[in-house]
Amino acid sequence: MPNSPATKRIAILISGRGSNMVALADAVRRGTIPNAEVATVISDKRDAAGLESANERGIETLVIERGARTRQEHDREIVSALAARQIDLVCLAGYMRVLSSELINDYRGRILNIHPSLLPAFPGLDAQRQALEHGAKVSGCTVHFVDETLDGGPIVTQREVPIHEDDTVENLSARILIEEHRLYAAAVAKTLKKLSIK
Ligand code: GRF
């Protein structure tokens, strides 16, 4: 009998609502993301609503605020929390900070982010508003590896979402968010599978 593959340990970094974090945690629980465990949810904001959702699911939560520290100092504390928990994959889910090069280097190829546009179109903040103001007829979401560029790392997978004539930022964001939740779970499953055969 072949050994069952070791359980991969995921850390999810959030700053707010945490709906993508919940989607990942629920996909792990259902087995849509197999052989995995959400080992910790880390927030840089004490009042992030997602912390409660993680607690309700029995997932460890950590608040690691930047405070008056430099980005490097802040990320050093995050790196040591990740290392102490032997994290295999870091998922950014509405984490509103640029990562230090140290964190990126330590986990290169093992940090994913979800972005609400079809990258490379509309990187940065307010991607849904950017798409509407541009008159785009289609937008979507992208899961990509994090590197030193802003939303510019290698793309894992994307999904298109149509834009309607009368769309508002709220409508479009809600339509994209539904797809984000499915796409992120699929991308994490695919990435973990690749990591486990490396
Ligand atoms: C999502 O639209 C995600 O793509 C973007 O920030 C939003 C976070 O939402 N990076 P949530 O906190 O996962 O609900």
Side-chain angles (χ1 to χ4, degrees):
M1 285 278 284
N3 290 330
S4 64
T7 302
K8 296 288 181 194
R9 297 171 61 76
I10 301 171
I12 306 178
L13 271 57
I14 65 168
S15 297
R17 179 177 57 184
S19 73
N20 278 289
M21 176 275 294
V22 165
L24 293 180
D26 290 352
V28 165
R29 204 191 49 211
R30 283 195 307 270
T32 315
I33 301 173
N35 308 314
E37 174 191 352
V38 178
T40 191
V41 168
I42 302 176
S43 174
D44 68 319
K45 299 269 185 259
R46 191 164 294 282
D47 60 356
L51 288 170
E52 200 181 324
S53 312
N55 281 326
E56 283 165 9
R57 286 164 174 76
I59 301 168
E60 178 200 53
T61 55
L62 299 174
V63 175
I64 304 181
E65 290 175 309
R66 169 137 171 208
R69 296 181 289 182
T70 64
R71 175 178 301 153
Q72 284 70 23
E73 288 164 345
H74 181 217
D75 279 2
R76 225 163 274 151
E77 187 179 346
I78 294 175
V79 166
S80 63
L82 298 173
R85 289 162 182 77
Q86 299 181 298
I87 295 301
D88 298 295
L89 184 70
V90 178
C91 296
L92 308 186
Y95 185 66
M96 301 302 287
R97 287 192 183 277
V98 172
L99 303 186
S100 65
S101 51
E102 184 185 336
L103 174 44
I104 293 171
N105 269 324
D106 284 2
Y107 286 87
R108 193 174 295 281
R110 296 190 294 142
I111 310 175
L112 295 176
N113 181 42
I114 181 134
H115 183 80
S117 76
L118 293 176
L119 291 171
F122 313 128
L125 291 176
D126 285 330
Q128 302 93 333
R129 183 183 301 280
Q130 290 185 56
L132 286 176
E133 286 176 355
H134 206 80
K137 301 293 172 226
V138 65
S139 190
C141 45
T142 303
V143 178
H144 65 93
F145 287 106
V146 173
D147 65 10
E148 287 78 0
T149 61
L150 176 68
D151 298 326
I155 289 171
V156 178
T157 180
Q158 296 184 296
R159 193 164 291 175
E160 287 186 5
V161 173
I163 297 181
H164 304 325
E165 283 285 315
D166 56 352
D167 260 343
T168 60
V169 173
E170 290 71 31
N171 286 344
L172 178 60
S173 301
R175 198 176 315 118
I176 292 175
L177 192 64
I178 293 169
E179 296 306 325
E180 288 186 41
H181 295 163
R182 296 179 184 141
L183 190 73
Y184 212 174
V188 168
K190 177 176 163 181
T191 303
L192 288 181
K193 199 168 171 190
K194 282 198 175 161
L195 289 178
S196 69
I197 53 180
K198 264 188 183 165

